[in-house]
Amino acid sequence: MATFDLTSLRAVVFDTDGVVTDTARVHAAAWKHVFDAFLRGRSAPFDIRADYLAHVDGRPRLDGVRTFLASRDISLPEGGPDDEPGAPTVRGLGLAKDALFVEQIEAHGVAAFPSTVVLLHELRRRGCRTGVVSASRHCRAVVQSAGLMHLFDVLVDGNDAAALGLPGKPEPALFLEAARRLELPAAQVAIVEDALPGVQAGHRGGFGAVVAVDRSGTQAAAMLAAGADAVVTDLADADVAGRVPVGRR
């Protein structure tokens, strides 16, 4: 059981994909489609669970391309923004994945995890502020598609990272920017993450609590080793304590 103790916490910042919205599987499927096409005749196919979790999950898109290819001892030129999607460059593969992800989201929409929505309502009912963070440039569109923008006070995404020159996870810069916009010190903010680089970022940033979501049930030990204070398989297993709900005495 994880408990958000609002006697010491004033805000909770959530990762997006896999924590707030059920889009991590869409990202993973898009990566597999792109990498398998590239790897054909070069290496074994992309493992949609093991490779995604180890090399791609939680990282900025181009970092994910570099990290995964390095795991297969493959090096590609960086390329440029004018590369064709699928071109044999870091940017070309990244552009192909991005196009496929957008296509799937536009075709099928975005679903939120019900337990996360319940937790968000409870936190806000008790006067706790909330934020949402993602390395993806599509974070705002994803959250809007899920109908959840009204549940967050701040949003920090890949567009902000590019504009402000913020390094991606496992560096804590995205989360620290969310705390800055909330006008709170990191020690008064909890982080909720489902990716190891994000857990590491929360720990490095000195946040008041780092709650990890291990939906696969396979990463709890690694998440605790990376700095998580608690690990749950779903946020239905998280509790809120320490502050009287707004309007109650």
Side-chain angles (χ1 to χ4, degrees):
M1 174 70 75
T3 300
F4 294 96
D5 184 357
L6 302 188
T7 59
S8 57
L9 298 172
R10 295 181 60 194
V12 180
V13 175
F14 295 76
D15 177 54
T16 307
D17 300 305
V19 175
V20 175
T21 58
D22 190 12
T23 39
R25 61 184 178 82
V26 185
H27 281 290
W31 279 121
K32 179 168 178 59
H33 180 87
V34 170
F35 281 135
D36 282 0
F38 170 76
L39 291 170
R40 196 168 293 119
R42 289 185 174 93
S43 182
F46 179 85
D47 187 298
I48 200 165
R49 173 169 289 184
D51 284 327
Y52 179 73
L53 292 175
H55 307 302
V56 177
D57 192 21
R59 302 180 190 273
R61 183 171 9 111
L62 298 185
D63 283 353
V65 175
R66 298 183 193 102
T67 303
F68 170 70
L69 292 180
S71 76
R72 300 295 179 89
D73 295 319
I74 297 173
S75 178
L76 289 180
E78 283 293 303
D82 295 329
D83 286 3
E84 287 292 322
T89 65
V90 170
R91 284 186 176 269
L93 296 183
L95 288 167
K97 182 269 173 180
D98 191 53
L100 187 56
F101 176 78
V102 171
E103 176 185 303
Q104 291 299 306
I105 292 300
E106 290 179 347
H108 304 293
V110 175
F113 288 105
S115 58
T116 304
V117 176
V118 170
L119 175 60
L120 281 163
H121 279 289
E122 180 64 12
L123 288 168
R124 295 178 70 83
R125 190 170 73 94
R126 290 174 178 260
C128 182
R129 303 189 73 196
T130 54
V132 64
V133 162
S134 176
S136 170
R137 292 175 181 259
H138 302 296
C139 176
R140 186 173 298 276
V142 165
V143 175
Q144 286 176 334
S145 178
L148 301 179
M149 280 298 295
H150 66 291
L151 294 178
F152 296 106
D153 298 296
V154 300
L155 180 150
V156 180
D157 65 5
N159 296 300
D160 296 305
L164 298 172
L166 304 177
K169 305 168 191 175
E171 295 303 316
L174 288 170
F175 288 130
L176 290 172
E177 176 62 16
R180 186 191 70 79
R181 295 183 186 189
L182 289 164
E183 300 181 331
L184 292 172
Q188 294 180 8
V189 179
I191 300 302
V192 186
E193 257 287 356
D194 74 322
L196 283 174
V199 172
Q200 292 169 328
H203 179 66
R204 291 181 184 181
F207 287 90
V210 180
V211 174
V213 181
D214 176 23
R215 298 193 187 279
S216 68
T218 63
Q219 289 194 293
M223 287 172 160
L224 290 169
D229 297 297
V231 181
V232 297
T233 56
D234 186 89
L235 286 173
D237 297 326
D239 194 17
V240 182
R243 192 180 301 171
V244 176
V246 175
R248 294 190 180 182
R249 294 182 181 275

mmCIF file of all heavy atoms in Angstrom, residues 119-155:
data_model
loop_
_atom_site.group_PDB
_atom_site.id
_atom_site.type_symbol
_atom_site.label_atom_id
_atom_site.label_comp_id
_atom_site.label_asym_id
_atom_site.label_seq_id
_atom_site.Cartn_x
_atom_site.Cartn_y
_atom_site.Cartn_z
ATOM 1 N N LEU A 119 -8.144 8.661 -7.905
ATOM 2 C CA LEU A 119 -7.127 9.244 -7.034
ATOM 3 C C LEU A 119 -6.986 10.741 -7.271
ATOM 4 O O LEU A 119 -6.871 11.524 -6.312
ATOM 5 C CB LEU A 119 -5.788 8.543 -7.268
ATOM 6 C CG LEU A 119 -4.581 9.107 -6.509
ATOM 7 C CD1 LEU A 119 -4.798 9.043 -5.003
ATOM 8 C CD2 LEU A 119 -3.306 8.349 -6.906
ATOM 9 N N LEU A 120 -6.987 11.162 -8.521
ATOM 10 C CA LEU A 120 -6.891 12.596 -8.827
ATOM 11 C C LEU A 120 -8.039 13.372 -8.194
ATOM 12 O O LEU A 120 -7.833 14.438 -7.591
ATOM 13 C CB LEU A 120 -6.887 12.801 -10.349
ATOM 14 C CG LEU A 120 -5.562 12.540 -11.058
ATOM 15 C CD1 LEU A 120 -5.791 12.357 -12.555
ATOM 16 C CD2 LEU A 120 -4.593 13.688 -10.810
ATOM 17 N N HIS A 121 -9.247 12.864 -8.311
ATOM 18 C CA HIS A 121 -10.398 13.537 -7.708
ATOM 19 C C HIS A 121 -10.247 13.624 -6.184
ATOM 20 O O HIS A 121 -10.557 14.656 -5.573
ATOM 21 C CB HIS A 121 -11.693 12.813 -8.080
ATOM 22 C CG HIS A 121 -12.213 13.153 -9.433
ATOM 23 N ND1 HIS A 121 -12.767 14.384 -9.736
ATOM 24 C CD2 HIS A 121 -12.269 12.425 -10.582
ATOM 25 C CE1 HIS A 121 -13.148 14.404 -11.008
ATOM 26 N NE2 HIS A 121 -12.852 13.234 -11.537
ATOM 27 N N GLU A 122 -9.775 12.537 -5.572
ATOM 28 C CA GLU A 122 -9.626 12.534 -4.116
ATOM 29 C C GLU A 122 -8.550 13.516 -3.665
ATOM 30 O O GLU A 122 -8.725 14.246 -2.683
ATOM 31 C CB GLU A 122 -9.302 11.124 -3.626
ATOM 32 C CG GLU A 122 -9.116 11.001 -2.119
ATOM 33 C CD GLU A 122 -10.375 11.325 -1.322
ATOM 34 O OE1 GLU A 122 -11.475 11.423 -1.923
ATOM 35 O OE2 GLU A 122 -10.260 11.483 -0.090
ATOM 36 N N LEU A 123 -7.428 13.548 -4.373
ATOM 37 C CA LEU A 123 -6.372 14.499 -4.029
ATOM 38 C C LEU A 123 -6.870 15.934 -4.118
ATOM 39 O O LEU A 123 -6.655 16.741 -3.203
ATOM 40 C CB LEU A 123 -5.170 14.301 -4.962
ATOM 41 C CG LEU A 123 -4.342 13.030 -4.746
ATOM 42 C CD1 LEU A 123 -3.384 12.827 -5.923
ATOM 43 C CD2 LEU A 123 -3.567 13.088 -3.436
ATOM 44 N N ARG A 124 -7.553 16.243 -5.191
ATOM 45 C CA ARG A 124 -8.025 17.614 -5.382
ATOM 46 C C ARG A 124 -9.145 17.958 -4.409
ATOM 47 O O ARG A 124 -9.260 19.104 -3.954
ATOM 48 C CB ARG A 124 -8.440 17.814 -6.841
ATOM 49 C CG ARG A 124 -7.243 17.692 -7.795
ATOM 50 C CD ARG A 124 -7.638 17.851 -9.243
ATOM 51 N NE ARG A 124 -8.016 19.213 -9.552
ATOM 52 C CZ ARG A 124 -7.171 20.205 -9.847
ATOM 53 N NH1 ARG A 124 -5.865 19.970 -9.864
ATOM 54 N NH2 ARG A 124 -7.618 21.406 -10.132
ATOM 55 N N ARG A 125 -9.951 16.982 -4.049
ATOM 56 C CA ARG A 125 -11.015 17.198 -3.063
ATOM 57 C C ARG A 125 -10.433 17.582 -1.709
ATOM 58 O O ARG A 125 -11.048 18.322 -0.933
ATOM 59 C CB ARG A 125 -11.843 15.919 -2.948
ATOM 60 C CG ARG A 125 -13.128 16.041 -2.143
ATOM 61 C CD ARG A 125 -13.966 14.793 -2.298
ATOM 62 N NE ARG A 125 -13.399 13.682 -1.567
ATOM 63 C CZ ARG A 125 -13.745 13.338 -0.322
ATOM 64 N NH1 ARG A 125 -14.633 14.058 0.331
ATOM 65 N NH2 ARG A 125 -13.203 12.291 0.254
ATOM 66 N N ARG A 126 -9.215 17.100 -1.465
ATOM 67 C CA ARG A 126 -8.544 17.389 -0.197
ATOM 68 C C ARG A 126 -7.630 18.607 -0.293
ATOM 69 O O ARG A 126 -6.853 18.876 0.627
ATOM 70 C CB ARG A 126 -7.731 16.170 0.244
ATOM 71 C CG ARG A 126 -8.591 14.997 0.693
ATOM 72 C CD ARG A 126 -7.745 13.772 0.967
ATOM 73 N NE ARG A 126 -8.541 12.661 1.449
ATOM 74 C CZ ARG A 126 -8.644 12.299 2.732
ATOM 75 N NH1 ARG A 126 -8.004 12.989 3.657
ATOM 76 N NH2 ARG A 126 -9.388 11.266 3.079
ATOM 77 N N GLY A 127 -7.679 19.324 -1.406
ATOM 78 C CA GLY A 127 -6.899 20.542 -1.543
ATOM 79 C C GLY A 127 -5.474 20.345 -2.009
ATOM 80 O O GLY A 127 -4.655 21.274 -1.952
ATOM 81 N N CYS A 128 -5.136 19.144 -2.487
ATOM 82 C CA CYS A 128 -3.794 18.864 -2.994
ATOM 83 C C CYS A 128 -3.711 19.264 -4.462
ATOM 84 O O CYS A 128 -4.606 18.959 -5.249
ATOM 85 C CB CYS A 128 -3.493 17.378 -2.840
ATOM 86 S SG CYS A 128 -1.840 16.892 -3.381
ATOM 87 N N ARG A 129 -2.637 19.940 -4.846
ATOM 88 C CA ARG A 129 -2.450 20.339 -6.235
ATOM 89 C C ARG A 129 -1.892 19.164 -7.034
ATOM 90 O O ARG A 129 -1.287 18.240 -6.471
ATOM 91 C CB ARG A 129 -1.538 21.554 -6.320
ATOM 92 C CG ARG A 129 -2.057 22.737 -5.501
ATOM 93 C CD ARG A 129 -1.270 23.975 -5.768
ATOM 94 N NE ARG A 129 -1.597 24.505 -7.091
ATOM 95 C CZ ARG A 129 -0.859 25.404 -7.741
ATOM 96 N NH1 ARG A 129 0.274 25.827 -7.224
ATOM 97 N NH2 ARG A 129 -1.227 25.850 -8.916
ATOM 98 N N THR A 130 -2.082 19.213 -8.348
ATOM 99 C CA THR A 130 -1.662 18.096 -9.196
ATOM 100 C C THR A 130 -1.010 18.607 -10.475
ATOM 101 O O THR A 130 -1.339 19.673 -10.982
ATOM 102 C CB THR A 130 -2.854 17.202 -9.569
ATOM 103 O OG1 THR A 130 -3.883 18.015 -10.150
ATOM 104 C CG2 THR A 130 -3.413 16.475 -8.358
ATOM 105 N N GLY A 131 -0.092 17.789 -11.004
ATOM 106 C CA GLY A 131 0.558 18.096 -12.271
ATOM 107 C C GLY A 131 0.732 16.829 -13.078
ATOM 108 O O GLY A 131 0.627 15.713 -12.559
ATOM 109 N N VAL A 132 0.995 17.013 -14.370
ATOM 110 C CA VAL A 132 1.224 15.870 -15.259
ATOM 111 C C VAL A 132 2.446 16.173 -16.119
ATOM 112 O O VAL A 132 2.636 17.300 -16.576
ATOM 113 C CB VAL A 132 -0.025 15.566 -16.112
ATOM 114 C CG1 VAL A 132 -0.372 16.713 -17.059
ATOM 115 C CG2 VAL A 132 0.119 14.251 -16.858
ATOM 116 N N VAL A 133 3.280 15.155 -16.309
ATOM 117 C CA VAL A 133 4.559 15.313 -16.992
ATOM 118 C C VAL A 133 4.739 14.203 -18.013
ATOM 119 O O VAL A 133 4.292 13.072 -17.804
ATOM 120 C CB VAL A 133 5.714 15.281 -15.961
ATOM 121 C CG1 VAL A 133 7.045 15.007 -16.629
ATOM 122 C CG2 VAL A 133 5.772 16.581 -15.184
ATOM 123 N N SER A 134 5.387 14.527 -19.121
ATOM 124 C CA SER A 134 5.727 13.515 -20.114
ATOM 125 C C SER A 134 6.899 13.997 -20.949
ATOM 126 O O SER A 134 7.028 15.198 -21.215
ATOM 127 C CB SER A 134 4.537 13.222 -21.030
ATOM 128 O OG SER A 134 4.899 12.315 -22.048
ATOM 129 N N ALA A 135 7.728 13.052 -21.374
ATOM 130 C CA ALA A 135 8.783 13.383 -22.325
ATOM 131 C C ALA A 135 8.224 13.566 -23.729
ATOM 132 O O ALA A 135 8.894 14.105 -24.605
ATOM 133 C CB ALA A 135 9.847 12.281 -22.334
ATOM 134 N N SER A 136 6.988 13.134 -23.955
ATOM 135 C CA SER A 136 6.371 13.202 -25.279
ATOM 136 C C SER A 136 5.881 14.616 -25.597
ATOM 137 O O SER A 136 5.371 15.326 -24.733
ATOM 138 C CB SER A 136 5.180 12.231 -25.342
ATOM 139 O OG SER A 136 4.434 12.436 -26.522
ATOM 140 N N ARG A 137 6.003 14.978 -26.861
ATOM 141 C CA ARG A 137 5.457 16.256 -27.322
ATOM 142 C C ARG A 137 3.940 16.187 -27.482
ATOM 143 O O ARG A 137 3.290 17.206 -27.726
ATOM 144 C CB ARG A 137 6.097 16.658 -28.653
ATOM 145 C CG ARG A 137 7.578 17.019 -28.548
ATOM 146 C CD ARG A 137 8.185 17.294 -29.907
ATOM 147 N NE ARG A 137 9.593 17.615 -29.841
ATOM 148 C CZ ARG A 137 10.093 18.855 -29.912
ATOM 149 N NH1 ARG A 137 9.283 19.882 -30.053
ATOM 150 N NH2 ARG A 137 11.396 19.057 -29.852
ATOM 151 N N HIS A 138 3.374 14.993 -27.363
ATOM 152 C CA HIS A 138 1.932 14.824 -27.555
ATOM 153 C C HIS A 138 1.162 14.755 -26.245
ATOM 154 O O HIS A 138 -0.018 14.418 -26.237
ATOM 155 C CB HIS A 138 1.665 13.555 -28.372
ATOM 156 C CG HIS A 138 2.344 13.556 -29.709
ATOM 157 N ND1 HIS A 138 2.034 14.478 -30.692
ATOM 158 C CD2 HIS A 138 3.338 12.784 -30.206
ATOM 159 C CE1 HIS A 138 2.802 14.255 -31.747
ATOM 160 N NE2 HIS A 138 3.595 13.232 -31.477
ATOM 161 N N CYS A 139 1.824 15.086 -25.143
ATOM 162 C CA CYS A 139 1.198 14.960 -23.829
ATOM 163 C C CYS A 139 -0.115 15.736 -23.736
ATOM 164 O O CYS A 139 -1.129 15.197 -23.293
ATOM 165 C CB CYS A 139 2.171 15.427 -22.752
ATOM 166 S SG CYS A 139 1.496 15.447 -21.083
ATOM 167 N N ARG A 140 -0.098 17.003 -24.141
ATOM 168 C CA ARG A 140 -1.312 17.820 -24.012
ATOM 169 C C ARG A 140 -2.457 17.225 -24.831
ATOM 170 O O ARG A 140 -3.598 17.140 -24.353
ATOM 171 C CB ARG A 140 -1.026 19.262 -24.447
ATOM 172 C CG ARG A 140 -2.201 20.217 -24.217
ATOM 173 C CD ARG A 140 -1.799 21.658 -24.513
ATOM 174 N NE ARG A 140 -0.746 22.116 -23.636
ATOM 175 C CZ ARG A 140 -0.944 22.609 -22.408
ATOM 176 N NH1 ARG A 140 -2.186 22.720 -21.943
ATOM 177 N NH2 ARG A 140 0.077 22.998 -21.665
ATOM 178 N N ALA A 141 -2.179 16.793 -26.060
ATOM 179 C CA ALA A 141 -3.225 16.210 -26.900
ATOM 180 C C ALA A 141 -3.763 14.923 -26.280
ATOM 181 O O ALA A 141 -4.974 14.657 -26.325
ATOM 182 C CB ALA A 141 -2.678 15.932 -28.299
ATOM 183 N N VAL A 142 -2.880 14.114 -25.690
ATOM 184 C CA VAL A 142 -3.295 12.863 -25.063
ATOM 185 C C VAL A 142 -4.187 13.133 -23.856
ATOM 186 O O VAL A 142 -5.250 12.528 -23.699
ATOM 187 C CB VAL A 142 -2.055 12.034 -24.658
ATOM 188 C CG1 VAL A 142 -2.425 10.922 -23.687
ATOM 189 C CG2 VAL A 142 -1.382 11.454 -25.897
ATOM 190 N N VAL A 143 -3.756 14.060 -22.995
ATOM 191 C CA VAL A 143 -4.539 14.369 -21.792
ATOM 192 C C VAL A 143 -5.876 15.001 -22.162
ATOM 193 O O VAL A 143 -6.917 14.693 -21.564
ATOM 194 C CB VAL A 143 -3.725 15.279 -20.843
ATOM 195 C CG1 VAL A 143 -4.573 15.714 -19.648
ATOM 196 C CG2 VAL A 143 -2.480 14.550 -20.350
ATOM 197 N N GLN A 144 -5.876 15.869 -23.159
ATOM 198 C CA GLN A 144 -7.127 16.467 -23.622
ATOM 199 C C GLN A 144 -8.053 15.404 -24.202
ATOM 200 O O GLN A 144 -9.262 15.410 -23.945
ATOM 201 C CB GLN A 144 -6.837 17.551 -24.653
ATOM 202 C CG GLN A 144 -6.269 18.824 -24.061
ATOM 203 C CD GLN A 144 -5.898 19.855 -25.113
ATOM 204 O OE1 GLN A 144 -5.602 19.517 -26.267
ATOM 205 N NE2 GLN A 144 -5.908 21.122 -24.730
ATOM 206 N N SER A 145 -7.504 14.473 -24.984
ATOM 207 C CA SER A 145 -8.320 13.417 -25.577
ATOM 208 C C SER A 145 -8.968 12.551 -24.510
ATOM 209 O O SER A 145 -10.093 12.078 -24.677
ATOM 210 C CB SER A 145 -7.456 12.542 -26.499
ATOM 211 O OG SER A 145 -8.200 11.489 -27.063
ATOM 212 N N ALA A 146 -8.263 12.365 -23.393
ATOM 213 C CA ALA A 146 -8.817 11.575 -22.284
ATOM 214 C C ALA A 146 -9.796 12.379 -21.434
ATOM 215 O O ALA A 146 -10.418 11.816 -20.527
ATOM 216 C CB ALA A 146 -7.682 11.056 -21.411
ATOM 217 N N GLY A 147 -9.916 13.684 -21.696
ATOM 218 C CA GLY A 147 -10.857 14.529 -20.965
ATOM 219 C C GLY A 147 -10.423 14.844 -19.548
ATOM 220 O O GLY A 147 -11.265 15.023 -18.658
ATOM 221 N N LEU A 148 -9.095 14.979 -19.332
ATOM 222 C CA LEU A 148 -8.591 15.117 -17.965
ATOM 223 C C LEU A 148 -7.888 16.440 -17.680
ATOM 224 O O LEU A 148 -7.371 16.625 -16.575
ATOM 225 C CB LEU A 148 -7.619 13.974 -17.661
ATOM 226 C CG LEU A 148 -8.157 12.553 -17.778
ATOM 227 C CD1 LEU A 148 -7.045 11.555 -17.471
ATOM 228 C CD2 LEU A 148 -9.342 12.342 -16.843
ATOM 229 N N MET A 149 -7.840 17.361 -18.620
ATOM 230 C CA MET A 149 -7.073 18.579 -18.404
ATOM 231 C C MET A 149 -7.517 19.341 -17.161
ATOM 232 O O MET A 149 -6.699 19.957 -16.470
ATOM 233 C CB MET A 149 -7.177 19.496 -19.631
ATOM 234 C CG MET A 149 -6.265 19.104 -20.782
ATOM 235 S SD MET A 149 -4.494 19.168 -20.392
ATOM 236 C CE MET A 149 -4.283 20.920 -20.100
ATOM 237 N N HIS A 150 -8.805 19.282 -16.838
ATOM 238 C CA HIS A 150 -9.317 20.026 -15.687
ATOM 239 C C HIS A 150 -8.815 19.475 -14.357
ATOM 240 O O HIS A 150 -8.988 20.117 -13.306
ATOM 241 C CB HIS A 150 -10.855 20.007 -15.698
ATOM 242 C CG HIS A 150 -11.447 18.645 -15.497
ATOM 243 N ND1 HIS A 150 -11.340 17.645 -16.443
ATOM 244 C CD2 HIS A 150 -12.138 18.112 -14.455
ATOM 245 C CE1 HIS A 150 -11.951 16.552 -15.987
ATOM 246 N NE2 HIS A 150 -12.437 16.810 -14.794
ATOM 247 N N LEU A 151 -8.180 18.301 -14.374
ATOM 248 C CA LEU A 151 -7.705 17.692 -13.132
ATOM 249 C C LEU A 151 -6.238 18.005 -12.834
ATOM 250 O O LEU A 151 -5.688 17.511 -11.852
ATOM 251 C CB LEU A 151 -7.898 16.170 -13.183
ATOM 252 C CG LEU A 151 -9.348 15.690 -13.206
ATOM 253 C CD1 LEU A 151 -9.413 14.172 -13.296
ATOM 254 C CD2 LEU A 151 -10.092 16.177 -11.956
ATOM 255 N N PHE A 152 -5.616 18.848 -13.676
ATOM 256 C CA PHE A 152 -4.203 19.170 -13.474
ATOM 257 C C PHE A 152 -4.001 20.683 -13.434
ATOM 258 O O PHE A 152 -4.550 21.422 -14.246
ATOM 259 C CB PHE A 152 -3.354 18.567 -14.587
ATOM 260 C CG PHE A 152 -3.388 17.062 -14.612
ATOM 261 C CD1 PHE A 152 -4.116 16.391 -15.587
ATOM 262 C CD2 PHE A 152 -2.724 16.328 -13.648
ATOM 263 C CE1 PHE A 152 -4.156 15.007 -15.604
ATOM 264 C CE2 PHE A 152 -2.773 14.940 -13.650
ATOM 265 C CZ PHE A 152 -3.492 14.275 -14.632
ATOM 266 N N ASP A 153 -3.163 21.113 -12.490
ATOM 267 C CA ASP A 153 -2.821 22.532 -12.376
ATOM 268 C C ASP A 153 -1.698 22.919 -13.340
ATOM 269 O O ASP A 153 -1.657 24.056 -13.811
ATOM 270 C CB ASP A 153 -2.391 22.851 -10.940
ATOM 271 C CG ASP A 153 -3.505 22.608 -9.944
ATOM 272 O OD1 ASP A 153 -4.527 23.309 -10.024
ATOM 273 O OD2 ASP A 153 -3.364 21.715 -9.093
ATOM 274 N N VAL A 154 -0.789 21.982 -13.614
ATOM 275 C CA VAL A 154 0.311 22.263 -14.535
ATOM 276 C C VAL A 154 0.562 21.049 -15.413
ATOM 277 O O VAL A 154 0.257 19.910 -15.032
ATOM 278 C CB VAL A 154 1.613 22.643 -13.788
ATOM 279 C CG1 VAL A 154 1.416 23.879 -12.934
ATOM 280 C CG2 VAL A 154 2.131 21.484 -12.950
ATOM 281 N N LEU A 155 1.110 21.295 -16.595
ATOM 282 C CA LEU A 155 1.506 20.254 -17.538
ATOM 283 C C LEU A 155 2.873 20.623 -18.084
ATOM 284 O O LEU A 155 3.088 21.753 -18.533
ATOM 285 C CB LEU A 155 0.484 20.132 -18.660
ATOM 286 C CG LEU A 155 0.735 19.085 -19.762
ATOM 287 C CD1 LEU A 155 -0.585 18.581 -20.331
ATOM 288 C CD2 LEU A 155 1.596 19.643 -20.898
#
